[in-house]
Amino acid sequence: QVQLQESGPGLVKPSQTLSLTCTVSGASIPTGYYYWSWIRQPPGKGLEWMGVISYSGSTYYSPSLKSRTSISRDTSRNHFTLQLSSVTPEDTAVYYCARAQSLGPPEPDATWGQGTQVTVSS
């Protein structure tokens, strides 16, 4: 069973950088031609796809977030990371990582982590 687990600080101060890690078990990130995404859901709002890193290390970001977003991978630890800079309270959300078979927002049968709450507050 492929499993994804998000981790990182649950509270971030405004103007700081939000950093999260997605640890993958049951699959190898550089193997299998998969795409590894970050998605978030603010309170009372829908899912927002943030960006993706491919099995080869290529990245693609949502146009609305690309200026602040960086996704990277660490194949030795079998995880990939999200960094979101200059955060504001509008960045408060549940953050998810997911594995998909195509570039872009994950398809309905993609594998998701359970999500982790991140609150931006002073």
Side-chain angles (χ1 to χ4, degrees):
Q1 176 70 41
V2 177
Q3 293 184 313
L4 284 69
Q5 177 70 57
E6 303 90 345
S7 62
L11 181 64
V12 183
K13 294 181 178 180
S15 82
Q16 294 186 339
T17 295
L18 182 160
S19 297
L20 296 174
T21 296
C22 182
T23 300
V24 178
S25 62
S28 178
I29 291 175
T31 302
Y33 304 103
Y34 289 108
Y35 299 83
W36 308 85
S37 295
W38 286 99
I39 311 95
R40 68 180 184 179
Q41 185 171 33
K45 299 182 179 179
L47 296 169
E48 179 184 22
W49 180 78
M50 302 181 70
V52 60
I53 188 165
S54 77
Y55 57 90
S56 65
S58 300
T59 55
Y60 182 79
Y61 303 108
S62 169
S64 64
L65 294 170
K66 63 182 179 181
S67 66
R68 299 194 292 133
T69 305
S70 179
I71 298 173
S72 60
R73 64 179 185 169
D74 185 339
T75 56
S76 67
R77 293 173 176 262
N78 209 38
H79 67 226
F80 62 104
T81 61
L82 170 72
Q83 292 187 303
L84 183 67
S85 65
S86 302
V87 298
T88 73
E90 291 294 310
D91 295 310
T92 294
V94 177
Y95 285 77
Y96 301 91
C97 57
R99 186 192 74 166
Q101 299 187 41
S102 300
L103 182 67
E107 60 270 10
D109 62 346
T111 299
W112 293 64
Q114 85 288 346
T116 187
Q117 172 71 45
V118 179
T119 299
V120 179
S121 176
S122 61

